[in-house]
CSV table of all heavy atoms in Angstrom, one decimal:
chain,number,residue,atom,x,y,z
A,2,MET,N,261.5,169.7,78.1
A,2,MET,CA,262.3,170.6,78.9
A,2,MET,C,261.6,170.8,80.3
A,2,MET,O,260.4,171.1,80.2
A,2,MET,CB,262.5,171.9,78.2
A,2,MET,CG,263.7,172.7,78.7
A,2,MET,SD,265.3,172.3,78.2
A,2,MET,CE,265.2,172.6,76.5
A,3,CYS,N,262.3,170.7,81.4
A,3,CYS,CA,261.8,171.0,82.7
A,3,CYS,C,262.3,172.4,83.0
A,3,CYS,O,263.6,172.6,83.1
A,3,CYS,CB,262.3,170.0,83.7
A,3,CYS,SG,261.6,168.3,83.6
A,4,ALA,N,261.4,173.2,83.3
A,4,ALA,CA,261.8,174.7,83.7
A,4,ALA,C,262.7,174.6,84.9
A,4,ALA,O,262.4,174.0,85.9
A,4,ALA,CB,260.6,175.4,84.1
A,5,GLY,N,263.9,175.1,84.7
A,5,GLY,CA,264.9,175.2,85.9
A,5,GLY,C,265.6,173.8,86.0
A,5,GLY,O,266.2,173.6,87.1
A,6,GLY,N,265.3,172.9,85.2
A,6,GLY,CA,265.9,171.6,85.3
A,6,GLY,C,266.4,170.9,84.0
A,6,GLY,O,266.9,171.6,83.1
A,7,PRO,N,266.3,169.6,84.0
A,7,PRO,CA,266.9,169.0,82.8
A,7,PRO,C,266.2,169.0,81.5
A,7,PRO,O,265.0,169.4,81.5
A,7,PRO,CB,266.9,167.4,83.3
A,7,PRO,CG,265.7,167.3,84.1
A,7,PRO,CD,265.6,168.6,84.9
A,8,MET,N,266.9,168.6,80.4
A,8,MET,CA,266.2,168.5,79.1
A,8,MET,C,265.8,167.0,79.1
A,8,MET,O,266.5,166.1,79.3
A,8,MET,CB,267.2,168.8,78.0
A,8,MET,CG,266.7,168.5,76.6
A,8,MET,SD,267.8,168.9,75.3
A,8,MET,CE,269.3,167.8,75.6
A,9,LEU,N,264.5,166.8,78.7
A,9,LEU,CA,263.9,165.5,78.7
A,9,LEU,C,264.0,165.0,77.2
A,9,LEU,O,263.5,165.7,76.4
A,9,LEU,CB,262.5,165.5,79.2
A,9,LEU,CG,262.3,165.9,80.7
A,9,LEU,CD1,260.9,165.9,81.1
A,9,LEU,CD2,263.2,165.1,81.6
A,10,VAL,N,264.6,163.8,77.1
A,10,VAL,CA,264.7,163.2,75.7
A,10,VAL,C,263.9,161.9,75.6
A,10,VAL,O,264.2,161.1,76.4
A,10,VAL,CB,266.2,163.0,75.3
A,10,VAL,CG1,266.3,162.4,73.9
A,10,VAL,CG2,267.0,164.3,75.5
A,11,HIS,N,263.0,161.8,74.7
A,11,HIS,CA,262.3,160.6,74.5
A,11,HIS,C,263.0,159.6,73.6
A,11,HIS,O,263.5,160.0,72.5
A,11,HIS,CB,260.9,160.9,73.9
A,11,HIS,CG,260.1,161.7,74.9
A,11,HIS,ND1,259.1,161.3,75.7
A,11,HIS,CD2,260.2,163.1,75.2
A,11,HIS,CE1,258.6,162.2,76.5
A,11,HIS,NE2,259.1,163.4,76.2
A,12,GLY,N,263.0,158.4,74.0
A,12,GLY,CA,263.6,157.3,73.2
A,12,GLY,C,265.1,157.1,73.5
A,12,GLY,O,265.7,157.9,74.3
A,13,PRO,N,265.8,156.2,72.8
A,13,PRO,CA,267.2,155.9,73.1
A,13,PRO,C,268.0,157.1,72.7
A,13,PRO,O,267.7,157.9,71.8
A,13,PRO,CB,267.4,154.7,72.0
A,13,PRO,CG,266.2,154.2,71.7
A,13,PRO,CD,265.2,155.3,71.9
A,14,ILE,N,269.1,157.3,73.5
A,14,ILE,CA,270.0,158.5,73.3
A,14,ILE,C,271.4,158.1,73.6
A,14,ILE,O,271.7,157.2,74.4
A,14,ILE,CB,269.5,159.7,74.2
A,14,ILE,CG1,270.4,160.8,74.0
A,14,ILE,CG2,269.5,159.2,75.7
A,14,ILE,CD1,269.9,162.1,74.9
A,15,SER,N,272.2,158.8,72.8
A,15,SER,CA,273.6,158.5,72.9
A,15,SER,C,274.3,159.9,72.9
A,15,SER,O,274.1,160.8,72.1
A,15,SER,CB,274.2,157.8,71.7
A,15,SER,OG,275.5,157.6,71.8
A,16,ILE,N,275.1,160.2,74.0
A,16,ILE,CA,275.7,161.5,74.2
A,16,ILE,C,277.2,161.3,74.3
A,16,ILE,O,277.7,160.5,75.2
A,16,ILE,CB,275.2,162.3,75.4
A,16,ILE,CG1,273.7,162.5,75.3
A,16,ILE,CG2,276.0,163.6,75.6
A,16,ILE,CD1,273.1,163.2,76.5
A,17,GLU,N,278.0,162.0,73.6
A,17,GLU,CA,279.4,162.0,73.7
A,17,GLU,C,279.9,163.2,74.5
A,17,GLU,O,279.7,164.4,74.1
A,17,GLU,CB,280.1,161.9,72.3
A,17,GLU,CG,281.6,161.8,72.4
A,17,GLU,CD,282.3,161.7,71.1
A,17,GLU,OE1,281.6,161.4,70.1
A,17,GLU,OE2,283.6,161.8,71.0
A,18,SER,N,280.5,162.9,75.6
A,18,SER,CA,281.1,164.1,76.4
A,18,SER,C,282.4,164.6,75.8
A,18,SER,O,283.0,164.0,74.9
A,18,SER,CB,281.4,163.6,77.9
A,18,SER,OG,282.2,162.5,78.0
A,19,GLU,N,282.9,165.7,76.4
A,19,GLU,CA,284.0,166.4,75.8
A,19,GLU,C,285.3,165.5,75.8
A,19,GLU,O,286.1,165.7,75.0
A,19,GLU,CB,284.3,167.7,76.6
A,19,GLU,CG,283.3,168.8,76.4
A,19,GLU,CD,283.6,170.0,77.1
A,19,GLU,OE1,284.7,170.1,77.7
A,19,GLU,OE2,282.7,170.9,77.2
A,20,ASP,N,285.4,164.6,76.8
A,20,ASP,CA,286.4,163.7,76.9
A,20,ASP,C,286.4,162.5,76.0
A,20,ASP,O,287.2,161.5,76.0
A,20,ASP,CB,286.8,163.2,78.3
A,20,ASP,CG,285.6,162.6,78.9
A,20,ASP,OD1,284.5,162.3,78.2
A,20,ASP,OD2,285.6,162.3,80.2
A,21,GLY,N,285.3,162.5,75.1
A,21,GLY,CA,285.2,161.3,74.2
A,21,GLY,C,284.4,160.1,74.6
A,21,GLY,O,284.1,159.2,73.9
A,22,VAL,N,283.9,160.1,75.9
A,22,VAL,CA,283.3,159.1,76.5
A,22,VAL,C,281.8,159.1,76.0
A,22,VAL,O,281.2,160.2,75.9
A,22,VAL,CB,283.2,159.1,78.1
A,22,VAL,CG1,282.4,158.0,78.6
A,22,VAL,CG2,284.7,158.9,78.6
A,23,VAL,N,281.2,158.0,75.5
A,23,VAL,CA,279.9,157.9,75.0
A,23,VAL,C,279.0,157.4,76.1
A,23,VAL,O,279.3,156.3,76.7
A,23,VAL,CB,279.8,157.0,73.8
A,23,VAL,CG1,278.4,156.9,73.3
A,23,VAL,CG2,280.7,157.7,72.7
A,24,HIS,N,277.9,158.1,76.4
A,24,HIS,CA,276.9,157.7,77.4
A,24,HIS,C,275.6,157.3,76.7
A,24,HIS,O,275.2,158.2,75.8
A,24,HIS,CB,276.7,158.9,78.4
A,24,HIS,CG,277.9,159.4,79.0
A,24,HIS,ND1,278.5,158.9,80.3
A,24,HIS,CD2,278.8,160.3,78.6
A,24,HIS,CE1,279.5,159.6,80.5
A,24,HIS,NE2,279.8,160.4,79.6
A,25,GLU,N,275.2,156.1,77.0
A,25,GLU,CA,274.0,155.7,76.3
A,25,GLU,C,272.8,155.5,77.3
A,25,GLU,O,273.1,155.0,78.4
A,25,GLU,CB,274.2,154.5,75.5
A,25,GLU,CG,275.2,154.8,74.3
A,25,GLU,CD,275.4,153.5,73.4
A,25,GLU,OE1,275.1,152.4,73.8
A,25,GLU,OE2,276.0,153.7,72.4
A,26,SER,N,271.6,155.7,76.8
A,26,SER,CA,270.4,155.4,77.6
A,26,SER,C,269.4,154.8,76.7
A,26,SER,O,269.2,155.3,75.6
A,26,SER,CB,269.9,156.6,78.3
A,26,SER,OG,268.7,156.3,78.9
A,27,THR,N,268.7,153.7,77.2
A,27,THR,CA,267.6,153.1,76.4
A,27,THR,C,266.4,153.3,77.2
A,27,THR,O,265.3,152.7,76.9
A,27,THR,CB,267.9,151.6,76.3
A,27,THR,OG1,268.1,151.0,77.5
A,27,THR,CG2,269.1,151.3,75.4
A,28,ARG,N,266.4,154.2,78.2
A,28,ARG,CA,265.1,154.5,78.9
A,28,ARG,C,264.1,155.2,78.0
A,28,ARG,O,264.4,155.8,76.9
A,28,ARG,CB,265.4,155.5,80.1
A,28,ARG,CG,266.2,154.9,81.2
A,28,ARG,CD,266.4,155.9,82.2
A,28,ARG,NE,266.9,155.4,83.4
A,28,ARG,CZ,266.9,155.9,84.7
A,28,ARG,NH1,266.3,157.1,84.7
A,28,ARG,NH2,267.4,155.3,85.7
A,29,PRO,N,262.8,155.0,78.3
A,29,PRO,CA,261.7,155.7,77.5
A,29,PRO,C,261.9,157.2,77.5
A,29,PRO,O,261.7,157.9,76.5
A,29,PRO,CB,260.5,155.3,78.2
A,29,PRO,CG,260.7,154.0,78.8
A,29,PRO,CD,262.2,154.1,79.3
A,30,VAL,N,262.4,157.8,78.7
A,30,VAL,CA,262.6,159.2,78.8
A,30,VAL,C,263.9,159.4,79.6
A,30,VAL,O,264.0,158.7,80.7
A,30,VAL,CB,261.5,159.9,79.5
A,30,VAL,CG1,261.8,161.4,79.6
A,30,VAL,CG2,260.1,159.8,78.7
A,31,SER,N,264.9,160.1,79.1
A,31,SER,CA,266.1,160.4,79.8
A,31,SER,C,266.2,161.9,80.1
A,31,SER,O,265.8,162.7,79.3
A,31,SER,CB,267.3,160.0,78.9
A,31,SER,OG,267.3,158.6,78.6
A,32,ALA,N,266.7,162.2,81.3
A,32,ALA,CA,266.9,163.5,81.8
A,32,ALA,C,268.3,164.0,81.6
A,32,ALA,O,269.1,163.4,82.3
A,32,ALA,CB,266.4,163.7,83.1
A,33,VAL,N,268.6,164.9,80.8
A,33,VAL,CA,269.9,165.4,80.6
A,33,VAL,C,270.2,166.6,81.3
A,33,VAL,O,269.5,167.6,81.3
A,33,VAL,CB,270.2,165.6,79.0
A,33,VAL,CG1,271.6,166.0,78.8
A,33,VAL,CG2,269.9,164.3,78.3
A,34,CYS,N,271.2,166.7,82.1
A,34,CYS,CA,271.5,167.7,83.0
A,34,CYS,C,271.8,169.0,82.2
A,34,CYS,O,272.6,168.9,81.2
A,34,CYS,CB,272.7,167.4,83.9
A,34,CYS,SG,273.3,168.8,85.0
A,35,ARG,N,271.3,170.1,82.6
A,35,ARG,CA,271.5,171.4,82.0
A,35,ARG,C,272.2,172.4,82.9
A,35,ARG,O,272.6,173.4,82.6
A,35,ARG,CB,270.2,172.0,81.4
A,35,ARG,CG,269.6,171.4,80.3
A,35,ARG,CD,268.5,172.1,79.6
A,35,ARG,NE,267.4,172.6,80.6
A,35,ARG,CZ,267.0,173.8,80.6
A,35,ARG,NH1,267.4,174.8,79.8
A,35,ARG,NH2,266.1,174.1,81.5
A,36,CYS,N,272.3,172.1,84.2
A,36,CYS,CA,272.8,172.9,85.2
A,36,CYS,C,274.3,172.7,85.5
A,36,CYS,O,274.9,173.6,86.0
A,36,CYS,CB,272.0,172.8,86.5
A,36,CYS,SG,272.4,171.4,87.5
A,37,GLY,N,274.8,171.6,85.1
A,37,GLY,CA,276.2,171.3,85.3
A,37,GLY,C,276.5,170.9,86.7
A,37,GLY,O,277.8,170.7,87.0
A,38,ALA,N,275.7,170.8,87.6
A,38,ALA,CA,275.9,170.4,89.0
A,38,ALA,C,275.7,168.9,89.4
A,38,ALA,O,276.0,168.5,90.4
A,38,ALA,CB,275.0,171.2,89.9
A,39,THR,N,275.2,168.2,88.3
A,39,THR,CA,275.0,166.7,88.6
A,39,THR,C,276.3,166.0,89.0
A,39,THR,O,277.4,166.4,88.6
A,39,THR,CB,274.3,166.1,87.4
A,39,THR,OG1,274.1,164.7,87.7
A,39,THR,CG2,275.3,166.1,86.2
A,40,SER,N,276.2,165.0,89.8
A,40,SER,CA,277.3,164.0,90.0
A,40,SER,C,277.4,162.8,89.2
A,40,SER,O,278.3,162.0,89.4
A,40,SER,CB,277.3,163.7,91.5
A,40,SER,OG,276.1,162.8,91.8
A,41,ARG,N,276.4,162.8,88.2
A,41,ARG,CA,276.4,161.6,87.3
A,41,ARG,C,276.2,162.1,85.9
A,41,ARG,O,275.3,161.6,85.3
A,41,ARG,CB,275.5,160.5,87.7
A,41,ARG,CG,274.1,160.9,87.9
A,41,ARG,CD,273.2,159.8,88.5
A,41,ARG,NE,271.9,159.9,88.1
A,41,ARG,CZ,271.2,159.4,87.0
A,41,ARG,NH1,271.9,158.5,86.4
A,41,ARG,NH2,270.0,159.7,86.7
A,42,ALA,N,277.0,163.1,85.5
A,42,ALA,CA,276.9,163.7,84.1
A,42,ALA,C,277.0,162.6,83.0
A,42,ALA,O,277.7,161.6,83.2
A,42,ALA,CB,278.1,164.6,83.9
A,43,PRO,N,276.2,162.6,82.0
A,43,PRO,CA,275.4,163.8,81.6
A,43,PRO,C,274.0,163.8,82.1
A,43,PRO,O,273.2,164.6,81.7
A,43,PRO,CB,275.5,163.7,80.0
A,43,PRO,CG,275.4,162.3,79.8
A,43,PRO,CD,276.3,161.7,80.9
A,44,TRP,N,273.7,162.9,83.0
A,44,TRP,CA,272.4,162.7,83.4
A,44,TRP,C,272.0,163.5,84.6
A,44,TRP,O,272.8,163.7,85.5
A,44,TRP,CB,272.1,161.1,83.7
A,44,TRP,CG,272.6,160.3,82.6
A,44,TRP,CD1,273.6,159.3,82.8
A,44,TRP,CD2,272.3,160.2,81.3
A,44,TRP,NE1,273.8,158.7,81.6
A,44,TRP,CE2,273.1,159.2,80.7
A,44,TRP,CE3,271.4,160.9,80.4
A,44,TRP,CZ2,273.0,158.9,79.3
A,44,TRP,CZ3,271.3,160.6,79.1
A,44,TRP,CH2,272.0,159.7,78.5
A,45,CYS,N,270.8,164.0,84.7
A,45,CYS,CA,270.3,164.8,85.8
A,45,CYS,C,270.2,163.8,87.1
A,45,CYS,O,269.7,162.7,87.0
A,45,CYS,CB,269.0,165.4,85.6
A,45,CYS,SG,268.2,166.2,86.9
A,46,ASP,N,270.7,164.3,88.2
A,46,ASP,CA,270.5,163.6,89.4
A,46,ASP,C,269.6,164.4,90.5
A,46,ASP,O,269.5,164.0,91.6
A,46,ASP,CB,271.8,163.2,90.0
A,46,ASP,CG,272.7,164.4,90.6
A,46,ASP,OD1,272.2,165.6,90.4
A,46,ASP,OD2,273.7,164.2,91.1
A,47,GLY,N,269.1,165.3,90.0
A,47,GLY,CA,268.2,166.2,90.9
A,47,GLY,C,268.9,167.3,91.6
A,47,GLY,O,268.1,168.1,92.3
A,48,THR,N,270.1,167.4,91.5
A,48,THR,CA,270.9,168.4,92.2
A,48,THR,C,270.4,169.9,91.9
A,48,THR,O,270.5,170.7,92.7
A,48,THR,CB,272.4,168.3,91.9
A,48,THR,OG1,272.8,167.0,92.4
A,48,THR,CG2,273.2,169.3,92.7
A,49,HIS,N,269.8,170.0,90.7
A,49,HIS,CA,269.4,171.4,90.3
A,49,HIS,C,268.4,171.9,91.3
A,49,HIS,O,268.3,173.1,91.5
A,49,HIS,CB,268.8,171.4,88.9
A,49,HIS,CG,267.6,170.5,88.7
A,49,HIS,ND1,267.7,169.1,88.4
A,49,HIS,CD2,266.2,170.8,88.9
A,49,HIS,CE1,266.4,168.6,88.4
A,49,HIS,NE2,265.6,169.6,88.7
A,50,ARG,N,267.7,171.1,92.0
A,50,ARG,CA,266.6,171.6,92.9
A,50,ARG,C,267.3,172.2,94.1
A,50,ARG,O,266.6,172.9,94.9
A,50,ARG,CB,265.8,170.4,93.4
A,50,ARG,CG,265.0,169.7,92.3
A,50,ARG,CD,264.1,168.7,92.9
A,50,ARG,NE,263.6,167.8,91.8
A,50,ARG,CZ,263.8,166.5,91.7
A,50,ARG,NH1,264.6,165.9,92.7
A,50,ARG,NH2,263.4,165.8,90.8
A,51,LEU,N,268.6,171.9,94.4
A,51,LEU,CA,269.2,172.5,95.6
A,51,LEU,C,269.9,173.9,95.2
A,51,LEU,O,270.3,174.6,96.1
A,51,LEU,CB,270.3,171.5,96.1
A,51,LEU,CG,269.9,170.1,96.3
A,51,LEU,CD1,271.0,169.3,96.8
A,51,LEU,CD2,268.8,170.2,97.5
A,52,LEU,N,269.9,174.2,93.9
A,52,LEU,CA,270.6,175.4,93.5
A,52,LEU,C,269.7,176.6,93.8
A,52,LEU,O,268.5,176.5,93.7
A,52,LEU,CB,271.0,175.4,92.0
A,52,LEU,CG,271.9,174.2,91.6
A,52,LEU,CD1,272.1,174.2,90.1
A,52,LEU,CD2,273.2,174.4,92.3
A,53,PRO,N,270.3,177.8,93.9
A,53,PRO,CA,269.4,179.1,94.0
A,53,PRO,C,268.7,179.2,92.7
A,53,PRO,O,269.3,178.9,91.7
A,53,PRO,CB,270.5,180.1,94.2
A,53,PRO,CG,271.7,179.5,94.6
A,53,PRO,CD,271.7,178.0,94.2
A,54,GLU,N,267.5,179.8,92.8
A,54,GLU,CA,266.7,179.9,91.6
A,54,GLU,C,267.4,180.5,90.3
A,54,GLU,O,267.3,180.2,89.3
A,54,GLU,CB,265.4,180.5,91.8
A,54,GLU,CG,264.3,180.2,90.9
A,54,GLU,CD,262.9,180.5,91.4
A,54,GLU,OE1,262.7,180.1,92.5
A,54,GLU,OE2,262.2,181.2,90.7
A,55,LYS,N,268.2,181.5,90.8
A,55,LYS,CA,269.0,182.3,89.7
A,55,LYS,C,270.0,181.4,89.0
A,55,LYS,O,270.3,181.7,87.8
A,55,LYS,CB,269.7,183.5,90.4
A,55,LYS,CG,268.9,184.7,90.7
A,55,LYS,CD,269.9,185.7,91.3
A,55,LYS,CE,269.1,187.0,91.6
A,55,LYS,NZ,270.1,188.0,92.1
A,56,SER,N,270.4,180.4,89.6
A,56,SER,CA,271.5,179.5,89.0
A,56,SER,C,271.0,178.4,88.2
A,56,SER,O,271.7,177.7,87.5
A,56,SER,CB,272.4,179.0,90.1
A,56,SER,OG,273.0,180.0,90.9
A,57,ARG,N,269.7,178.2,88.3
A,57,ARG,CA,269.1,177.1,87.5
A,57,ARG,C,268.9,177.4,86.0
A,57,ARG,O,268.8,178.6,85.6
A,57,ARG,CB,267.7,176.7,88.1
A,57,ARG,CG,267.7,176.3,89.5
A,57,ARG,CD,266.4,176.0,90.0
A,57,ARG,NE,266.3,175.7,91.5
A,57,ARG,CZ,265.3,175.6,92.2
A,57,ARG,NH1,264.1,175.6,91.6
A,57,ARG,NH2,265.4,175.4,93.4
A,58,PRO,N,269.1,176.4,85.2
A,58,PRO,CA,269.0,176.7,83.8
A,58,PRO,C,267.6,177.1,83.3
A,58,PRO,O,266.6,176.9,84.0
A,58,PRO,CB,269.4,175.3,83.1
A,58,PRO,CG,269.1,174.3,84.2
A,58,PRO,CD,269.2,175.0,85.5
B,7,FES,S1,269.6,169.6,85.6
B,7,FES,FE1,269.2,168.3,87.2
B,7,FES,S2,271.1,168.1,88.1
B,7,FES,FE2,271.5,169.4,86.5
């Protein structure tokens, strides 16, 4: 977990979004957005750094 940022997941990961789309990553470490502001959900794109500190996860 990154304080105020994404959840870091080690190893392959598969996430199903609410609309049923499955997102897969085979990266050694994947950053999953927790703030909801990313433009490439479900993955973190760094946008959380632009949010006011109170709004960060
Ligand atoms: S946690 Fe990084 S963009 Fe949401």
